[in-house]
Amino acid sequence: MNRHVLIINRWTNGFAAYHRYVDHARDRVAYLTTPDGRAPLDEERAEEIRVLPDLLDTRAALAQVAELVARHGPFTHVLALSEFDLELAGEIRRRHGVPGRGPAEVAAVRDKVVMKGKVAAAGLRVPAHRATPTAAAVRDFAELHGYPFVLKPRAGADSQGVHVVAGADRLRDLLDGADLADAQCEEFVDGVLYQVDGVVRGGRLLTSRSWRCGASCLDFATGTAFSSIANDDRDFEERVTAFAERVCAALDLTDDVFHLEVFRTPDDDLVFLEIGARAGGGQVRFVWDEVYGVDLVALSAQVQLGEEVRVPPMDLDGPVAGYLMMPEPPVRPAVVDAVTTLVDDVPGLYAETLPAPGTVLSGHGGAVHTAGTFRYAAADAAAVASAIERTLAAYRLDWHPLGAQPGEEEARRNAGSAGSTPTAVRGTAVPGSAVREKTAVTKAAVGETAVPEAAGLPAREARDGRH
């Protein structure tokens, strides 16, 4: 029997080429998408495409789905690959009797309070945490656990709305007029942040790899370079892989691609932070595809649709991948004047994505529109770390505030070190901090990103400055 698949899409680039993952000739495929997300879809082979201004408008989305069901018949599968669409997909499955993860199961991978409760019940260490829907509840947490602590949304992503609260004055400012209905507080964990990406099918872990992070995504959102280097320590990889398997079992992740975040504390303990039932963001999907030959997005679709998949085992003796993302300038919006290409000058650096001159960096780019990204492959983690150090030392971005002219004294005054010096952006990062094992702050899941239209990228890829 052919499948009848509803795909919920918000991606605007190559990730939205669902015909690569789902056979539109064999299966009937309908779409619910945003206006910008419509362009990459295969309209000729789609059963129907419904467009909504905002996929987070659940009532409007459910009305569109009901019309699609009335017109084309019930769906057998609902596919949502973006973390932001998991709740909608779960509600559609519940209302229309579609197999798969319903609202309760979605909560286990989206609601950080529910998530940590299940992981803790499985005997794994998690940060002290609680739901804090009122200012009084936040103050109670601060009194009980002290400063610093972390205040963030229960179902947030991309470090949006995440705050490390250092003291009572900062807490007072944050609570002034804040909407805390979806808030939670959690313990600040002193440790090195690791990310673990993997694929589970039928409850069995097919492949995984951990990555040591320099800084955190919260640091990146507030102006620090972010790096991630694949781990090549066999003993630690064995430990963190076993930890990941227990997390997946605790959350009933049986047919998923996942992105797990854990802290490694100074006493060498592992502490669960959070997990996403989707492929990692940042540059994760690129390096897995380009260095390890694993398309995590395609696998996400295939395992969720119940297909058998073949995944090559991870070879710890093979190349070590890594990536670096540079933050946007400290004054935003900023206009890019020039940026240094480094791909031919740094050993181990195989690809870069740089914003084109004239690009406006607004401060809202997240992991998608950055001041430059760099991807690496080398024989070991130390070589990747060295390449990242060299990149940080040589990187230069020239820019001016939007509305000013390059070189104007007013622009320099408004932008501090901005304009013509090599430290224009590096001043907001910390050269070298991206590769040292730095104390990481607790953070939200890495945000979604867009993929280039081609999978095997050339050494230099600039295009329109997006990735």
Side-chain angles (χ1 to χ4, degrees), residues 19-270:
H19 53 277
R20 293 193 296 138
Y21 326 133
V22 183
D23 188 342
H24 286 47
R26 183 191 66 183
D27 299 318
R28 292 186 294 140
V29 181
Y31 289 94
L32 195 62
T33 189
T34 63
D36 290 340
R38 182 169 191 160
L41 305 181
D42 190 337
E43 299 222 19
E44 291 186 1
R45 290 191 284 181
E47 178 180 68
E48 188 171 347
I49 297 176
R50 294 291 181 99
V51 178
L52 279 175
D54 183 3
L55 289 174
L56 297 179
D57 185 345
T58 303
R59 178 178 297 179
L62 292 173
Q64 293 285 349
V65 173
E67 291 181 12
L68 287 170
V69 170
R71 184 170 181 178
H72 303 289
F75 291 102
T76 61
H77 297 79
V78 177
L79 187 62
L81 301 186
S82 168
E83 185 166 26
F84 293 101
D85 298 324
L86 297 184
E87 285 93 347
L88 174 58
E91 183 60 24
I92 292 170
R93 294 187 189 104
R94 185 187 71 82
R95 293 200 177 201
H96 294 277
V98 181
R101 188 179 284 122
E105 292 79 15
V106 168
V109 294
R110 283 285 287 152
D111 186 320
K112 294 174 177 58
V113 174
V114 174
M115 179 191 302
K116 288 183 175 68
K118 287 181 175 291
V119 172
L124 300 175
R125 181 178 168 186
V126 305
H129 65 282
R130 61 176 288 191
T132 51
T134 66
V138 176
R139 293 190 187 98
D140 287 346
F141 187 91
E143 184 175 351
L144 179 63
H145 296 282
Y147 298 95
F149 68 92
V150 181
L151 174 64
K152 65 184 182 182
R154 292 177 62 158
D158 204 15
S159 294
Q160 298 174 20
V162 179
H163 304 279
V164 177
V165 186
D169 289 344
R170 175 59 174 155
L171 179 59
R172 185 166 49 251
D173 292 342
L174 286 173
L175 294 181
D176 185 16
D179 180 2
L180 300 170
D182 185 44
Q184 66 131 16
C185 290
E186 65 183 37
E187 169 192 4
F188 178 92
V189 178
D190 179 13
V192 178
L193 179 66
Y194 280 79
Q195 299 171 334
V196 186
D197 299 283
V199 183
V200 286
R201 176 72 178 94
R204 183 170 66 91
L205 183 63
L206 301 183
T207 189
S208 68
R209 187 78 181 249
S210 70
W211 306 70
R212 177 173 55 84
C213 300
S216 73
C217 283
L218 178 57
D219 293 330
F220 178 71
T222 55
T224 300
F226 176 88
S227 74
S228 187
I229 303 172
N231 170 59
D232 59 0
D233 179 336
R234 286 183 175 275
D235 291 339
F236 179 73
E237 195 69 11
E238 182 176 341
R239 284 183 58 208
V240 78
T241 298
F243 189 92
E245 289 179 312
R246 292 182 65 186
V247 168
C248 288
L251 299 176
D252 199 26
L253 287 174
T254 59
D255 297 281
D256 292 278
V257 170
F258 65 85
H259 182 74
L260 167 66
E261 297 175 347
V262 302
F263 286 117
R264 187 179 188 181
T265 67
D267 59 1
D268 205 25
D269 197 6
L270 295 179

Side-chain angles (χ1 to χ4, degrees), residues 298-360:
L299 285 168
S300 295
Q302 291 162 0
V303 296
Q304 288 185 38
L305 292 173
E307 299 177 3
E308 294 300 321
V309 297
R310 295 182 178 276
V311 186
M314 183 57 69
D315 181 8
L316 292 182
D317 294 322
V320 173
Y323 66 87
L324 170 69
M325 300 191 303
M326 298 303 295
E328 296 179 271
V331 175
R332 300 180 292 266
V335 180
V336 175
D337 298 324
V339 62
T340 307
T341 177
L342 298 172
V343 75
D344 295 327
D345 300 326
V346 177
L349 172 59
Y350 73 86
E352 63 184 16
T353 304
L354 304 175
T359 298
V360 177

Side-chain angles (χ1 to χ4, degrees), residues 382-397:
V384 175
S386 177
I388 291 175
E389 292 276 10
R390 291 185 60 171
T391 303
L392 285 166
Y395 174 82
R396 170 173 176 154
L397 177 76

